[in-house]
Amino acid sequence: MGIGDVYEVRSMTDWYYVDTGMYGTSGYGAVYILDGERPAIVDTGIGTNYERILTALESIGIAPGDLEAIVVTHVHLDHAGGAGFLAAETDADVYVHEKGAKFLSDPEALWEGTKSAVGELIEYYTEPKPVPVDRIEPIHDGTTIDLGDRHLETHDAPGHAFHQAIFHEPDDDIVFTADAAGIYVPEYDAIRETSPPPGFDLEAVVADARMIARIDPETLCYAHFGPAATDERLSEYVGVIAEWVERVAEKREELDDDEAVIEHFVDESDISEVWGQKKGDGEVAMNVRGVFHYLDERAEDSE
């Protein structure tokens, strides 16, 4: 497994994924590719090194001019940062939730928000390029995206972000999970939490995971990272994310110092062994801050 490598999705027909090398590490960012009647990609990566996606397409036999659909699960830049660059290199339409469409055509606010959310990790990002308005196809819960010999069924999944959708491809019984089912770490064959600020909402995240469980797909295709048999992973994630929020809340009450809480969870995490020190530590810190934001909002609502 390495940066730029292209893999077939196990037991699926004409679906592939490329390791985009997001944050300078392998095994974190995946973009999915359909080599079908209407060639398509699901998500676009961070924008940096978007050329790796074009190279992956060509290695499968899809010329840039043949790509017809760029499907974005949500507008966080690790999923949508490459949309403008890839739109400029192709004639593909860009499908995105209607609540996020404005952030692709005018990404300035998204860029500023990303810098605030990811901290030092911003060095890995590239300022996004706008997608022309006439190339954007807004979608919503219930939209069917026609890919010729396949289609994607859209389901709102706002727990991670209000503009997030997941997509079910029924022919191969795949769900493209975005961040609604957590992060899959193949090295550990385990699910990890994702709770970035400011959109994380525990109750909605749990509802999203249970919604995917009701679809009952055979395979979950994680943007972070790769395909995995569904098995018990969705119920596992409900437990993981609930326990994560509880642990952060308890440690915050114990230490009464947010920076000390962040330092505690960074120090105890083993994820830097997989993603490297900078990305691993940055991911943990961001997820702790997201829980802080959620807890603060919940406290304000109860007043």
Side-chain angles (χ1 to χ4, degrees), residues 183-216:
I183 290 177
Y184 176 58
V185 184
E187 290 85 350
Y188 297 154
D189 190 28
I191 306 299
R192 303 289 291 246
E193 67 280 344
T194 178
S195 56
F200 170 72
D201 181 278
L202 174 61
E203 290 75 20
V205 164
V206 169
D208 291 345
R210 289 176 173 162
M211 176 266 292
I212 298 172
R214 289 192 297 274
I215 296 172
D216 193 25

Side-chain angles (χ1 to χ4, degrees), residues 30 55 60 66-68 126 139 150 173 192-193 204 209 233-234 253 276 281 296:
T55 300
I60 295 167
D66 293 334
L67 187 70
E68 295 198 27
T126 296
I139 57 176
R150 310 298 161 78
D173 204 15
R192 303 289 291 246
E193 67 280 344
R233 298 188 198 282
L234 294 163
E253 185 173 349
D281 291 356
D296 291 343

Side-chain angles (χ1 to χ4, degrees), residues 17 39 43 52 59 67 83 91 94 99 115 134 147 185 187 189 212 217 222 228 233 242 245 265 275 295:
Y17 64 108
D43 279 338
R52 289 176 182 148
S59 75
L67 187 70
D91 295 322
V94 179
K99 293 181 179 179
K115 288 191 282 187
D134 62 358
L147 299 178
V185 184
E187 290 85 350
D189 190 28
I212 298 172
Y222 291 89
R233 298 188 198 282
V245 171
F265 285 103
W275 299 334
L295 293 172

